[in-house]
Each structure stands twice: as structure tokens, then as C-alpha cells.
């Protein structure tokens, strides 16, 4: 999962380097293919909040509460539109990659070497499981499951998990 996520991010960034120099008609075709429908309004764009939420990055400036929302549409700048596109591309790539399975032999040596290097750079002992006595709240269990699956937790999620684990 870690390598698939890294690959998806790199490919999405590479795609965006091409998209920034594309004409608006081609960008519109791509956005529709990704399931996003932007409406041009002056120098900005409008996107329905449901589509916005599906492709918004996890950083605070993209939280819906920090955006201009009117009649179900979120107002975004061209830069923000491009960032939403990049995130939608990343999600599409991640979705098309195999979830589990055997690593192809031609990549196995490189993947194992990278994994060893990553584990070596981690601070402290690497544990695959945290043992608890008693019940764990479902929200905390979800955070732990996401953490074990190498998913990137938001700042708030990491903070909540740290507070819980310190008790």
C-alpha cells in the first residue's frame, strides 16, 4: 500500500505538470472523465460540494468549513481547481492498482531494499500491533486499522490517536 500510494502521488504530480499547459477545453474533458463538473464564474470556478468532498485534499485550507459555499456549490480558484484535479487523478490511480498480491519478480529486489531502508529510518522499534486491555472505541480502532494499512492520517486523526494512546 505504501508503494502504491507513493506511485499514485508521483503520477498525479506528473500529470498535473502536463495539465497546467493544456487548453481549457481539454482540461474540461478531463474533469468530466474524473467525475468533476466545474462551472466557470469570473476568475473562479464552482463545483458541487459532493464532488468537492470526494476530491478535496486533507489539508485544512481545503476543509469545507473554510470554503465559500452557496446553494450547494463551492467557489474555488484555478489553483484550487488544479489541486482538486490532482487529487482526483491520484485517487483514480490508487483505485486501479492491485490492493494485494505478489510483487512482480522484476521489482521485488527494489521493493524489499526500499522497505528495509524505510524501517531502518523509523524512530524506535517498529511494531505491527498495539495491545490494549479493555474495549477500544470504534473511531480509535478505525484510526489504528488505517495506520496499520499505511494510510496517511490527517493531523487531527494523529493528534486524537496520540491523546488516546497516552491515557
Amino acid at each position: 500500500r505504501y508503494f502504491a500510494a507513493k506511485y499514485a502521488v508521483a503520477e498525479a504530480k506528473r500529470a498535473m505538470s502536463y495539465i497546467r499547459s493544456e487548453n481549457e477545453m481539454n482540461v474540461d474533458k478531463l474533469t468530466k472523465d474524473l467525475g468533476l463538473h466545474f462551472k466557470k464564474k469570473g476568475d473562479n470556478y464552482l463545483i458541487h460540494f459532493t464532488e468537492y468532498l470526494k476530491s478535496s485534499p486533507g489539508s485544512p485550507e481545503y476543509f469545507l468549513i473554510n470554503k465559500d459555499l452557496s446553494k450547494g456549490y463551492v467557489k474555488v480558484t484555478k489553483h484550487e481547481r488544479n489541486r482538486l484535479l490532482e487529487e482526483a487523478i491520484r485517487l483514480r490511480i490508487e483505485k486501479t492498482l492491485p490492493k494485494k498480491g505478489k510483487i512482480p519478480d522484476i521489482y521485488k529486489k527494489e521493493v524489499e531494499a526500499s522497505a528495509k531502508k524505510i524501517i531502518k529510518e523509523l524512530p524506535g522499534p517498529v511494531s505491527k500491533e498495539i495491545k490494549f486491555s479493555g474495549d477500544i472505541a470504534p473511531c480509535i480502532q478505525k484510526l489504528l486499522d488505517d495506520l496499520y494499512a499505511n494510510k496517511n492520517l490527517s493531523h487531527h486523526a494523529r493528534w486524537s490517536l496520540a491523546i488516546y494512546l497516552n491515557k
Side-chain angles (χ1 to χ4, degrees), residues 9 16 20 32 68 82 85 108 120 125 134 139 149 152 166:
V9 167
M16 281 312 299
R20 285 187 186 96
K32 286 178 180 54
D68 185 8
N82 288 345
L85 281 174
K108 197 169 199 153
K120 206 182 286 184
C139 57
N152 187 21
N166 273 327

Side-chain angles (χ1 to χ4, degrees), residues 36-49 51-52 68-77 81 84:
L36 301 174
H37 302 87
F38 290 96
K39 296 176 184 177
K40 183 92 165 125
K41 185 174 183 184
D43 289 339
N44 295 308
Y45 296 85
L46 298 176
I47 181 172
H48 196 267
F49 79 96
E51 293 176 10
Y52 178 85
D68 185 8
L69 178 67
S70 176
K71 297 179 183 175
Y73 286 87
V74 180
K75 186 166 104 178
V76 295
T77 64
R81 181 205 63 176
L84 292 170

Side-chain angles (χ1 to χ4, degrees), residues 32-153:
K32 286 178 180 54
D33 182 53
L34 292 168
L36 301 174
H37 302 87
F38 290 96
K39 296 176 184 177
K40 183 92 165 125
K41 185 174 183 184
D43 289 339
N44 295 308
Y45 296 85
L46 298 176
I47 181 172
H48 196 267
F49 79 96
T50 56
E51 293 176 10
Y52 178 85
L53 290 174
K54 288 178 188 173
S55 61
S56 64
S59 53
E61 64 266 19
Y62 288 93
F63 289 173
L64 192 57
I65 196 162
N66 295 328
K67 303 309 290 175
D68 185 8
L69 178 67
S70 176
K71 297 179 183 175
Y73 286 87
V74 180
K75 186 166 104 178
V76 295
T77 64
K78 184 174 184 176
H79 171 76
E80 291 169 331
R81 181 205 63 176
N82 288 345
R83 184 63 185 95
L84 292 170
L85 281 174
E86 183 179 327
E87 189 67 10
I89 292 168
R90 182 193 67 79
L91 292 169
R92 170 81 57 92
I93 292 170
E94 272 192 4
K95 192 167 68 173
T96 60
L97 293 173
K99 299 290 183 228
K100 288 186 178 179
K102 184 180 165 208
I103 298 170
D105 291 335
I106 62 171
Y107 300 120
K108 197 169 199 153
K109 195 183 295 182
E110 286 81 7
V111 169
E112 287 172 353
S114 295
K116 286 178 185 173
K117 183 179 177 190
I118 290 166
I119 288 171
K120 206 182 286 184
E121 292 173 0
L122 290 174
V126 178
S127 174
K128 292 290 181 194
E129 226 175 281
I130 299 171
K131 302 286 186 202
F132 294 99
S133 60
D135 293 331
I136 300 173
C139 57
I140 297 298
Q141 186 60 54
K142 169 78 170 99
L143 294 177
L144 289 170
D145 292 344
D146 287 350
L147 192 62
Y148 297 145
N150 289 323
K151 291 184 179 175
N152 187 21
L153 299 179

